[in-house]
Amino acid sequence: MSKSYGGVHAVRGVSFALNAGEILALIGPNGAGKSTCFDMLNGQTIPDAGRIHLLGQDTAGLRPREVWRLGVGRTFQITATFATMTVRENVQVALVSYHRKLFDLIASTPRYERAEAGRLLELVGMGGFAERACGELA
Ligand SMILES: Nc1ncnc2c1ncn2[C@@H]1O[C@H](COP(=O)(O)OP(=O)(O)OP(=O)(O)O)[C@@H](O)[C@H]1O
Ligand SMILES: [Mg+2]
């Protein structure tokens, strides 16, 4: 992948492969191009050159939500949650979107997938925080 901003080569010829179950870290000094790499992987930035293959499909140029539909998540250095809502409700909001219920007038968001949200929180060891407001947590 390569990406330039004016005369700045933010990323030049970065290439790597990631296998199922593998954890890969990208390290480098400030301005090395790490965030730009992630921006290209999840669709926020379109590479000037290069290709990104996800299980055989070229995802370069897809929009972030299209890449997300294929199963690629992204977190940011500064996380954004709905601070006054509970941890469980934040997960429910994600599930409403994930299940394409955003414009479903019959689906009740406060009740939507409460149990599934709790199950997912248990999965990542956060079951005990489900009813706490996000703004109270670190
Ligand atoms: N949208 C942009 N417009 C112009 N220049 C940019 C843009 N995004 C990144 N750059 C430049 O590209 C280079 C790589 O930036 P990038 O943010 O990818 O680095 P990084 O490795 O994530 O740095 P950090 O460790 O500070 O987060 C830097 O020189 C930066 O100033
Ligand atoms: Mg960065």
Side-chain angles (χ1 to χ4, degrees):
M1 307 180 289
S2 294
K3 179 71 187 178
S4 295
Y5 292 103
V8 178
H9 292 286
V11 172
R12 192 173 354 194
V14 167
S15 182
F16 61 86
L18 192 58
N19 296 307
E22 194 178 348
I23 296 173
L24 184 75
L26 195 56
I27 61 171
N30 295 134
K34 305 178 295 294
S35 291
T36 305
C37 280
F38 285 109
D39 289 345
M40 290 190 280
L41 292 175
N42 94 310
Q44 292 191 305
T45 295
I46 299 173
D48 294 334
R51 286 186 299 189
I52 300 164
H53 284 284
L54 177 68
L55 302 174
Q57 180 176 349
D58 191 352
T59 63
L62 294 186
R63 290 154 178 261
R65 62 174 170 271
E66 293 168 331
V67 177
W68 170 67
R69 284 275 168 217
L70 295 172
V72 180
R74 165 115 196 233
T75 61
F76 292 89
Q77 279 165 281
I78 298 170
T79 51
T81 57
F82 299 105
T84 61
M85 293 166 66
T86 66
V87 173
R88 183 199 300 274
E89 287 167 343
N90 271 265
V91 178
Q92 287 176 265
V93 168
L95 290 171
V96 166
S97 172
Y98 184 73
H99 293 146
R100 298 179 189 262
K101 298 288 186 188
L102 276 177
F103 302 103
D104 186 337
L105 299 178
I106 296 165
S108 162
T109 309
R111 286 199 308 272
Y112 191 78
E113 294 280 14
R114 272 184 62 83
E116 175 65 359
R119 192 189 69 77
L120 290 168
L121 286 168
E122 289 291 343
L123 189 69
V124 295
M126 288 194 67
F129 298 98
E131 310 313 328
R132 298 270 300 276
C134 267
E136 292 175 8
L137 305 182

